[in-house]
Amino acid sequence: RKGAGMKVSVCMATYNGAKYIMQQLESILDQSRPPDEVILCDDGSTDETVHIIQRFIEDNSLQDTWRLYQNVQNRGYPGNFYYAMDLCGGEIVFLADQDDLWHRDKLEHMCQVFAKHPQASVVCCKLSLIDGEGARIHSVMAPTRETNKKRREPLRRIDIEDVFYKCEWPGMVMAYRREWYQRRQRYGSRIPHDFLICARAAEEGTFYQMDEILACHRRHDSNAGGEEHRLNRLLQRERKLKEIGDYLQILQAFAQEDVLRTETGKAALQRKTASMQGRYEALGSGCLTQVLRNAGRHWRETRFKTLVCDVFIVLKRRDR
């Protein structure tokens, strides 16, 4: 089978994930194409996370291939991921979050893509959403689903404009070639690891997405990225302003760390930064005209769903 000869690492950063981590560990262990190593780095959990991992490794006799590291000092998120990624030795490295679920053939199918497409440095699958209880989520801000089979494109190249337009590729759908990553390694970046990898590969033209859902992304109250699917929370003005402010800090880090090298990449970053800064100011003003004007000024960087949410937030505030 294509991809069977590649050495594969799975990398997971953990912190207080006791509630869901067992299910994720089981979905990794149950892969049709087993990983050659699993690297887990805990960032000082105060719940049962470490005990659950240790017990899982012992119960399944995984001591030779699964390794748990415990940080002496808290590295934070995403620092813990950068550290864990540096410990991986596989040719292909898969990123895993502590609270998601993988389809049984995720490693197998994604490794086949790497074997068939040597030009691909980073490959992502698609995902579905589940809530804290494992029920399917149908959200207004849900990620792109599989396309119509009649128009299906098995592998699509993602460019840098796509990444900044809608960064919908969390680490849990992602795998990369370790040799590629090491040549571009920037340990200690303030940019989330998955966003950084997406942007670098997209700018180079080596970032590809499969048209296949191979994982379930769990959204709950303790998500590290603060994702939300509940409409009443999506339409909270203060929450949205904080989310935009946090995103602006990431965009500023891209510029300060000089991550992007091409004129196309730098221009895309500048446009997105201007768009988000305008959005922050417009939403903060509570003025519907300003919200619409900013969306019109930056229409290429504005998702229609995003505009609708901002309009509802402003109108909702007016009704008080």
Side-chain angles (χ1 to χ4, degrees):
R1 292 180 299 178
K2 288 185 177 180
M6 297 176 173
K7 183 179 179 181
V8 170
S9 298
V10 171
C11 167
M12 185 190 299
T14 66
Y15 179 73
N16 287 349
K19 187 172 182 179
Y20 302 113
I21 194 167
M22 178 63 80
Q23 295 177 54
Q24 172 67 314
L25 296 177
E26 289 174 343
S27 76
I28 294 172
L29 181 63
D30 194 41
Q31 289 294 300
S32 58
R33 192 279 188 218
D36 296 283
E37 69 171 5
V38 176
I39 303 296
L40 304 108
C41 288
D42 188 77
D43 206 27
S45 292
T46 56
D47 64 3
E48 292 296 304
T49 298
V50 169
H51 176 72
I52 291 171
I53 296 171
Q54 291 173 334
R55 190 68 184 272
F56 185 85
I57 292 174
E58 292 172 4
D59 289 349
N60 292 282
S61 302
L62 299 169
Q63 292 88 342
D64 291 340
T65 54
W66 290 48
R67 295 192 297 279
L68 171 63
Y69 297 83
Q70 295 176 254
N71 297 338
V72 177
Q73 294 182 325
N74 188 276
R75 296 178 182 272
Y77 183 90
N80 192 28
F81 251 113
Y82 282 118
Y83 176 65
M85 290 156 64
D86 197 43
L87 296 171
C88 293
E91 297 170 63
I92 306 297
V93 177
F94 284 78
L95 302 175
D97 289 332
Q98 63 188 8
D99 42 15
D100 300 316
L101 293 173
W102 287 5
H103 293 199
R104 189 171 185 271
D105 50 7
K106 181 174 186 284
L107 294 187
E108 180 181 352
H109 286 195
M110 293 181 71
C111 282
Q112 288 171 354
V113 172
F114 277 111
K116 187 176 180 181
H117 300 275
Q119 79 279 12
S121 300
V122 178
V123 174
C124 289
C125 63
K126 291 185 177 180
L127 60 88
S128 59
L129 297 179
I130 57 175
D131 63 19
E133 305 305 316
R136 181 67 63 89
I137 292 174
H138 301 281
S139 169
V140 66
M141 299 303 286
T144 305
R145 304 296 187 198
E146 289 173 299
T147 56
N148 186 302
K149 290 185 178 180
K150 292 182 179 179
R151 297 177 295 170
R152 187 167 182 174
E153 188 178 4
L155 198 66
R156 180 172 72 97
R157 187 169 65 83
I158 308 298
D159 60 35
I160 190 65
E161 286 86 0
D162 290 329
V163 170
F164 285 122
Y165 179 66
K166 52 172 182 178
C167 191
E168 62 177 18
W169 302 277
M172 54 83 70
V173 300
M174 185 182 303
Y176 61 86
R177 296 186 191 273
R178 185 171 65 94
E179 186 271 337
W180 170 86
Y181 173 75
Q182 286 183 323
R183 283 189 280 113
R184 290 151 185 82
Q185 186 174 4
R186 191 183 295 271
Y187 180 75
S189 172
R190 291 180 291 128
I191 303 168
H193 60 292
D194 43 9
F195 199 172
L196 183 66
I197 289 173
C198 285
R200 280 185 178 158
E203 187 182 34
E204 296 175 5
T206 61
F207 178 28
Y208 291 85
Q209 181 179 42
M210 304 167 60
D211 188 28
E212 187 175 2
I213 295 174
L214 293 173
C216 300
H217 183 44
R218 193 188 302 271
R219 290 193 174 172
H220 54 89
D221 291 335
S222 300
N223 277 126
E227 301 115 327
E228 187 53 70
H229 63 277
R230 287 162 291 196
L231 196 58
N232 63 324
R233 293 199 180 184
L234 277 172
L235 300 180
Q236 288 179 2
R237 179 172 171 271
E238 296 307 317
R239 185 186 190 283
K240 186 58 64 176
L241 285 172
K242 182 182 184 307
E243 178 184 302
I244 297 171
D246 291 343
Y247 188 54
L248 278 169
Q249 289 183 6
I250 294 173
L251 296 177
Q252 289 165 6
F254 266 100
Q256 292 166 359
E257 297 178 17
D258 196 26
V259 172
L260 302 173
R261 297 298 181 183
T262 66
E263 291 304 315
T264 299
K266 292 178 180 179
L269 173 62
Q270 291 174 350
R271 290 194 302 270
K272 189 63 177 181
T273 302
S275 170
M276 295 302 289
Q277 185 63 53
R279 184 184 174 200
Y280 185 88
E281 294 170 359
L283 200 57
S285 74
C287 176
L288 180 60
T289 301
Q290 193 168 334
V291 169
L292 295 174
R293 188 174 297 156
N294 181 70
R297 187 180 300 117
H298 302 287
W299 62 273
R300 289 184 177 178
E301 289 74 43
T302 303
R303 299 176 68 183
F304 179 71
K305 292 178 181 179
T306 297
L307 174 58
V308 170
C309 282
D310 288 357
V311 169
F312 271 106
I313 288 172
V314 172
L315 294 177
K316 181 181 176 183
R317 187 173 178 79
R318 281 183 175 182
D319 292 340
R320 291 181 180 177

